[in-house]
Amino acid sequence: GQMWHHALGTALGASHLANLTGCRMTSERAFTAGLVHDIGKLILNRPLREHLEQLPVDGSMEELLAAETAILGFNHAEAGARLGEEWNFPAYLVETIARHHHGWQEAEEVALVKAVAAANLVTSHVGLGGGSGDLDSDDLRIACEAMGYSADDLETLAGKLPGDLGSLLSVLGESR
C-alpha cells in the first residue's frame, strides 16, 4: 500500500507542477509518468526480498540506489526503464523512469522529468516515501530549487498533496 500511495502522490504532484510550468508538457503526461516512475521497484521486490535487511531503512535515496546496485548490479530506475522498453512504453515514460533520480539535466523531456523528480521528493517529504527516508525541508528546497521550482511552489504542493491523495483514494474506494 505504501508504494501505491507514493506512486499516486507523485503522479498528483507531477501533474500539479506541470500546470505551474506552462510548457508543452501536459498534466496528463506528468500524471502518468509520476504513476509509473518507480515501476522498477515492483520487479525488484522478489529478487531483493531475501536481501531487504541489507537495504537502508532510514537512509537516503542515494544509499538505497547504491544498495540495490551492490546487490543486483543495477537499481530500480534502470530496471524500470528496461521494463518500459520491453513493454513498448512511449520514450518519454522510459526516459522519466530512468532519470527520475539522476540525469534529469540531460533529459530530452527535461521539464517532465524535473516535474516527476521534484514531485517524488515532495511526496517523500510529506511522509509517502515508498521505501526511502523522508527528506528534511532544507534538502528538499535545495534539490527542487536546482530543478527550477521555488520554495513557495514546494510549500503549496506539500500542503495540498495529502488532501488530494486522500480525495483520490476515496474516489478509488480506498482509505489511507
Side-chain angles (χ1 to χ4, degrees), residues 70-161:
I71 293 167
L72 297 171
F74 53 88
N75 63 50
H76 72 272
E78 295 164 336
R82 183 72 179 120
L83 179 67
E85 289 171 349
E86 287 297 315
W87 285 356
N88 295 313
F89 280 11
Y92 78 91
L93 286 179
V94 173
E95 179 177 57
T96 303
I97 293 166
R99 295 181 181 272
H100 74 274
H101 290 296
H102 300 291
W104 53 264
Q105 302 92 330
E106 297 89 30
E108 188 172 312
E109 298 272 351
V110 69
L112 175 63
V113 179
K114 285 193 316 187
V116 172
N120 182 42
L121 294 173
V122 173
T123 302
S124 291
H125 177 72
V126 298
L128 300 167
S132 63
D134 295 340
L135 290 171
D136 69 31
S137 296
D138 288 336
D139 289 341
L140 174 68
R141 181 187 48 75
I142 291 166
C144 291
E145 283 180 354
M147 291 182 234
Y149 296 106
S150 72
D152 288 343
D153 293 338
L154 304 177
E155 281 183 36
T156 299
L157 179 57
K160 70 183 299 220
L161 195 56

Side-chain angles (χ1 to χ4, degrees), residues 25-27 29 49 52 54 61 80 84 96 122 131 140 145 157:
M25 166 184 47
T26 64
S27 61
R29 266 188 168 203
R49 186 164 293 168
L52 285 177
Q54 297 174 32
M61 183 50 64
T96 303
V122 173
L140 174 68
E145 283 180 354
L157 179 57

